[in-house]
Amino acid sequence: MVVLSRNVLDGHFPSLVRTCKPPAAELEDVPAIDLLRPDAGALLVRACEDRGFFKVANHGVSAELTARLEAEALRFFGRPQHEKDAAGPADPFGYGSKTIGSNGDVGWVEYLLLSANLDVPSDAARSALLWNLPAFQAAAEEYVAGVRNVVYRVLDLISDNLGIEPRDMLSSLLRDKNNDSCFRVNHYPASPKPLQGLIERRNLVGFGEHTDPQIISVLRSNNTSGFQISLRNGSWVSIPPDDASLFFLVGDTFQVLTNGRLRSVKHRVLADGRRSRISMIYFGGPAMSQKISPLRCLMSEGEESLYEEFTWYKYKKSAYRSRLADYRLGAFEKSKARRN
Ligand SMILES: C=C1C[C@]23C[C@@]1(O)CC[C@H]2[C@@]12CC[C@H](O)[C@@](C)(C(=O)O1)[C@H]2[C@@H]3C(=O)O
Ligand SMILES: O=C(O)CCC(=O)C(=O)O
Ligand SMILES: [Fe+2]
């Protein structure tokens, strides 16, 4: 992290320290789904409908690989600030610290944001500096490949249960050789000792509330709390950490593909200033040219499309002009008069 000068604190702390109380309750019944159960598809769909969120244990991504990637990431984040800054700024790929996106959002976080599709030459080139960290690159590539396979299985099971044909219609959006998936490693450092007295536990904004624009996101973190989701009634709940599971989040694009049957989940991280947190997230995005609109096979007769058709390029561009907490799908909703 940057050395904390008074300026940095004056500039960032008013918006980082939350005043909300009491702390969010823990969600006791996080849907935990075993993909080998015969009713896994039905459970996945129910979890996506109810919460836009679930976790998968026994997913097959090796714990040793995950630990190796986490160790490599921590090794990077432990480097002197000027070395980390040389891998930045995150525009969007690269190293970033305290600023998220380019529209004024800040958080108590530093991160690496990379393309997860090195077959797209321009993205590969922009991520090159980072992928050049050989041990990190090897672990990250292997990890992303493993997570992707779990994502394909999950999407195919969801498709079976929703009656989407062919069953790989969703997963093929992410298998596309031009897919725009990315990978992020977030590090929420423990706050410096002198500040701990000033900051109330769990009231430091690590990553402000937002939905993910892509189809689906897969998050894994170490055993430090701080991740929260917003339930459909608008209340925030803390998700108990579970470093052996993969947490899945429905993104905005999935919401559109299902014409709102599944809804993207709002989430945030309120960092625990006393313990550092590290998370790694795969964001499954389609190809830039992919047209996004509700899947016909999911719409009942006479059902109207709630959204204007857009390409992923157009949605992403609009998303990257927005602030984290903005409701990004609003600009693509059809007015009642224009639905068909
Ligand atoms: C403030 C922003 C950061 C973000 C781009 C945006 O303008 C709005 C969406 C943000 C988000 C959230 C999910 C992912 O972490 C991310 C990489 C993405 O695709 O959309 C981030 C963007 C970012 O950090 O650049
Ligand atoms: O770091 C986390 O646990 C969540 C971060 C997140 O939501 C994101 O990077 O989009
Ligand atoms: Fe997110």
Side-chain angles (χ1 to χ4, degrees), residues 2 32 44 53 55 69 76 84 91 107 111 126 128 166 183 205 210 215 227 278 300 302 313-314:
V2 290
L44 289 168
F53 179 75
K55 70 177 183 181
L69 175 57
F76 173 82
K84 294 189 281 187
D91 60 351
Y111 57 90
R126 284 190 291 156
F183 182 59
V205 177
H210 66 284
I215 297 175
F227 184 74
I278 187 150
S300 42
Y313 171 82
K314 188 167 176 193

Side-chain angles (χ1 to χ4, degrees), residues 40-65:
L43 296 174
L44 289 168
V45 169
R46 192 180 318 145
C48 288
E49 286 175 337
D50 292 350
R51 305 239 161 101
F53 179 75
F54 58 89
K55 70 177 183 181
V56 172
N58 303 321
H59 40 70
V61 179
S62 125
E64 178 280 322
L65 168 63

